[in-house]
Amino acid sequence: MAACKGARTSPGRCPAHVIRAGDYTPGQPHDDCKIPTCCIDPLLHLCSGLRYSHAMLAYLIQRLLGACLAMFGVVSIVFLFIHLIPGDPVEIMLGESATGADREALRLALGLHEALPAQYLHYLGGLLQLDLGYSIHQQQPVGHLLLERLPATGLLALVTLCLTIVLALPLGILAAIHRNTAWDSAAMGLSLLGVSIPNFWLGPLLILLFSLWLGWFPVSGQDGISSVVLPALTLSTGLTAVLSRMVRSSMLEVLHEDYLRTARAKGLPPARIILHHALRNALLPVITLLGLQLGALLAGAVVTETVFSWPGIGLLTIESIQSRDFPVVQACVLLISLTYILVNLLTDLVYAWIDPRIRLDGSSA
Amino acid sequence: MTTRLASVILLAWALLALLAPALPLSPNVIQLQHILDAPSAQAVFGYDDLGRDIGARLLVGARTSFLVAGWVVCLSLCLGTLFGALTAYRGGWWDRAATQLVDIFLAFPGILLAIALAGLLGPGLDNVVIALTVVGWVGYARLARAQVLTLKQREHVQAARALGSSQWYILRRHLLPLMAGALIVEATFGVAAVVIAEAGLSFLGLGVQPPLASWGAMIRDGTRYMLVAPHMVLAPGLSILAVVLAVNLLGDRLRDRFDTRLPTETGRQQ
């Protein structure tokens, strides 16, 4: 029996994405990879007998179903948030000075007088109509608040992502090419530092260095294009660290392939070999990781946006936690988590689309 | 060399954290004449915005992070392993339901769920532990599941089952010892993650209550006085960095030592 060859040669490589009929031993699990969203089991059971393309299609459907279920679960947990608050949520939200009439009004507005199942149905119904509730402190629909803050977070995420790619690719490639040299250990040392340094410390340090001492960038807030630099840099360090490691291991794996020896034998210039032949193949697992890390980025944005007073969704989350504006907290968590699920789903689909080996038509099988 | 340094750092962290209550410290004594004083011979790490000795507060902060890390990792490890291993061993419907539940928790990116939970439950050391455990157990459950799914195909487990050994016995005697390496490595990295997460929650004002010290809360206080007293931010940040780097380094070493991917690899080499 062909036993899942090459599937776990590198620590980051997810075997779920090396889908080749016959490569899998039925019943053998392959999910000790760190990538949480790939559900491989359905594939495993299907791969054994079915044709390759059917297995792929089934995998995608399974993936879609899984994402829907996860979304449903997330919505349910977020709904329960308000009932997890110790004590009376209305009292906590309004404070002790509120009158009884005010409390009753809020209780009514939040639907807390209803039975739990009825509340749940109302909540789900509201979400389906994109009704996220009403902010008590800001006196406006939560949806408006989110829309207001969304562009800032989007911009931050985009710049961070670009910065990460620009930093991580050269770092990882350099480390892989010069394996076991000072270059390698320097790059990997930097990467270890990047994983270990917390955003909420790096941010203030960067402010101290670049804003207060050198005066290159604004201290905080959103004021012109230069103000995005420091938050993006802060947010991208952890990401860059993880990604450069991944690029390195992925490149190392590819560098031993026969087609690279062929390319070298043909006398192609090294730069072309690395960029055209090696990198393109090494990028596949990197893309999966990037999709996953985008979620971590969104969560990290909560801390980073707070450090820099960047007016995005993350700062809104913290502000609304502090002002006990629970409907807004719920909506923020919901938005970030659903985005995360969607991005992961999209990554998997894009992955299947990019890699000729796992395209739906199955011509290579 | 680096491993030894990392071990020394971690040992110092643990010892100081455990001994902190016994040491003659005065982390909450306010000395107005020393407000924002830079490090000196008298107080090696200087004084904070209320004139409190930062060195003493660092030690109390070490205790906070050590306690939280210890509790969260232990609780998550036990709960997650038990949940993942049991459901995976039973297989079928149990396994599918468990996987779905784990996937739901994994759908909350990073510590977002912990931030929300800590915000809802209110500040306090116990709430931080609860919030981080709710987020933390999932990783161990996943790992335990993956390990058990592979290991239960092994001959010795099949033999034990054929001999009529009970589920618990098999889990304890035949599965857990083989999973231990991977779980220990995961838990080691877990310590680093929890130290950062606790400090992060405290930085956001969702962690421990003042006057109890936490490295994260100290950084938060320090950011307001960065230009006049950068030592307020530097000292706690360096403490976090030292501990987290040491844990990560040790985790890498442990991973090489145990080679966590071993059971599945050897299981398939035929």
Side-chain angles (χ1 to χ4, degrees):
Chain A
M1 194 58 149
C4 195
K5 59 171 186 259
R8 212 183 291 98
T9 44
S10 86
R13 182 94 173 241
C14 172
H17 298 298
V18 192
I19 299 160
R20 268 170 281 183
D23 275 4
Y24 285 91
T25 319
Q28 284 277 7
H30 296 280
D31 63 347
D32 60 341
C33 75
K34 293 277 180 184
I35 298 177
T37 48
C38 63
C39 44
I40 310 148
D41 288 348
L43 180 75
L44 274 177
H45 299 302
L46 288 162
C47 250
S48 50
L50 283 177
R51 284 200 31 173
Y52 166 85
S53 55
H54 290 178
M56 188 64 212
L57 193 64
Y59 166 67
L60 289 181
I61 291 172
Q62 203 78 37
R63 203 46 206 84
L64 224 70
L65 273 175
C68 289
L69 266 174
M71 281 189 191
F72 185 70
V74 165
V75 168
S76 307
I77 291 181
V78 168
F79 160 75
L80 285 175
F81 272 3
I82 209 154
H83 299 279
L84 288 175
I85 300 166
D88 182 7
V90 171
E91 197 164 303
I92 292 172
M93 279 155 107
L94 288 181
E96 289 185 0
S97 56
T99 64
D102 279 346
R103 283 186 195 169
E104 276 319 300
L106 180 61
R107 204 179 300 277
L108 220 62
L110 289 174
L112 288 173
H113 58 289
E114 290 176 287
L116 204 61
Q119 285 184 38
Y120 187 45
L121 286 181
H122 264 162
Y123 187 69
L124 289 182
L127 282 185
L128 286 179
Q129 300 166 35
L130 292 180
D131 173 17
L132 292 163
Y134 197 79
S135 161
I136 308 140
H137 282 262
Q138 316 257 5
Q139 293 295 329
Q140 54 176 318
V142 177
H144 282 192
L145 283 174
L146 290 184
L147 278 182
E148 217 175 82
R149 300 294 190 102
L150 207 53
T153 298
L155 177 71
L156 181 60
L158 198 73
V159 176
T160 305
L161 216 56
C162 294
L163 202 63
T164 304
I165 294 171
V166 168
L167 291 174
L169 282 188
L171 213 61
I173 295 174
L174 214 68
I177 299 176
H178 303 286
R179 189 187 186 183
N180 294 334
T181 63
W183 281 103
D184 187 13
S185 33
M188 287 306 103
L190 259 178
S191 149
L192 184 64
L193 196 68
V195 188
S196 305
I197 200 164
N199 282 353
F200 50 86
W201 189 53
L202 182 65
L205 285 189
L206 290 179
I207 293 177
L208 192 64
L209 182 63
F210 290 108
S211 305
L212 296 179
W213 288 345
L214 296 174
W216 289 356
F217 303 107
V219 173
S220 65
Q222 192 182 22
D223 171 31
I225 194 72
S226 63
S227 55
V228 77
V229 175
L230 290 187
L233 197 62
T234 307
L235 202 47
S236 76
T237 41
L239 225 59
T240 306
V242 178
L243 204 69
S244 60
R245 281 193 164 208
M246 182 75 180
V247 171
R248 176 180 177 270
S249 68
S250 185
M251 278 294 275
L252 281 179
E253 194 179 329
V254 172
L255 283 176
H256 293 292
E257 297 281 348
D258 289 341
Y259 55 80
L260 275 198
R261 200 176 331 138
T262 311
R264 247 175 262 139
K266 278 200 303 187
L268 288 179
R272 189 172 161 78
I273 295 176
I274 293 303
L275 293 179
H276 201 80
H277 294 250
L279 188 62
R280 280 175 77 172
N281 285 293
L283 273 185
L284 286 164
V286 174
I287 287 171
T288 311
L289 190 76
L290 206 60
L292 276 173
Q293 290 295 320
L294 194 70
L297 188 152
L298 289 172
V302 176
V303 173
T304 308
E305 285 180 4
T306 309
V307 172
F308 290 93
S309 305
W310 182 260
I313 302 284
L315 188 60
L316 182 65
T317 313
I318 296 303
E319 284 170 354
S320 45
I321 285 178
Q322 276 158 1
S323 61
R324 317 235 136 251
D325 201 347
F326 296 123
V328 185
V329 179
Q330 285 177 307
C332 288
V333 173
L334 202 61
L335 181 71
I336 297 177
S337 306
L338 294 189
T339 312
Y340 181 47
I341 298 176
L342 278 180
V343 167
N344 276 329
L345 186 66
L346 220 64
T347 315
D348 276 10
L349 298 186
V350 165
Y351 198 100
W353 174 65
I354 290 181
D355 190 347
R357 282 171 301 184
I358 50 176
R359 262 194 208 140
L360 274 173
D361 57 271
S363 52
S364 63
Chain B
M1 174 58 206
T2 42
T3 316
R4 192 164 301 166
L5 188 67
S7 316
V8 168
I9 291 176
L10 291 184
L11 213 65
W13 178 48
L15 273 181
L16 289 175
L18 292 174
L19 293 179
L23 297 175
L25 299 172
S26 46
N28 300 323
V29 173
I30 293 170
Q31 292 167 278
L32 295 176
Q33 72 274 24
H34 286 309
I35 283 181
L36 296 179
D37 270 4
S40 60
Q42 195 182 6
V44 187
F45 295 96
Y47 291 89
D48 70 0
D49 53 324
L50 294 175
R52 296 174 297 191
D53 183 0
I54 290 181
R57 294 189 68 72
L58 278 181
L59 289 186
V60 180
R63 185 175 168 80
T64 307
S65 77
F66 186 80
L67 287 181
V68 172
W71 273 109
V72 171
V73 170
C74 284
L75 284 175
S76 313
L77 183 66
C78 294
L79 291 175
T81 306
L82 204 64
F83 181 84
L86 266 183
T87 52
Y89 186 76
R90 293 209 147 190
W93 187 88
W94 282 93
D95 185 39
R96 275 199 294 279
T99 312
Q100 197 54 54
L101 188 72
V102 164
D103 277 350
I104 288 170
F105 275 90
L106 286 172
F108 292 97
I111 63 162
L112 181 69
L113 185 60
I115 290 175
L117 284 178
L120 294 169
L121 295 173
L125 210 57
D126 42 352
N127 285 343
V128 170
V129 172
I130 294 173
L132 290 178
T133 306
V134 167
V135 178
W137 70 277
V138 196
Y140 303 99
R142 252 189 81 81
L143 184 64
R145 169 177 182 270
Q147 298 267 327
V148 166
L149 279 185
T150 328
L151 290 173
K152 81 175 183 186
Q153 309 288 341
R154 288 240 189 133
E155 275 98 359
H156 75 280
V157 179
Q158 305 278 7
R161 190 142 55 162
L163 285 169
S165 304
S166 77
Q167 212 176 97
W168 279 106
Y169 185 81
I170 293 178
L171 204 64
R172 224 178 51 233
R173 287 298 303 262
H174 297 299
L175 294 176
L176 267 183
L178 290 173
M179 294 156 56
L183 286 170
I184 289 171
V185 172
E186 182 83 357
T188 312
F189 287 117
V191 170
V194 173
V195 167
I196 289 191
E198 182 273 321
L201 288 179
S202 296
F203 176 84
L204 293 172
L206 308 171
V208 298
Q209 292 261 45
L212 192 59
S214 153
W215 290 340
M218 290 172 75
I219 292 179
R220 176 178 135 108
D221 293 340
T223 49
R224 273 174 273 165
Y225 303 95
M226 225 146 40
L227 207 52
V228 275
H231 62 273
M232 273 182 73
V233 173
L234 288 179
L238 282 175
S239 313
I240 298 174
L241 192 64
V243 167
V244 171
L245 260 178
V247 172
N248 280 338
L249 268 171
L250 218 64
D252 276 343
R253 290 285 177 282
L254 280 177
R255 183 163 54 190
D256 296 345
R257 177 92 164 265
F258 284 125
D259 192 0
T260 49
R261 283 176 292 280
L262 205 67
T264 40
E265 290 294 338
T266 48
R268 249 182 290 112
Q269 273 164 15
Q270 276 144 35

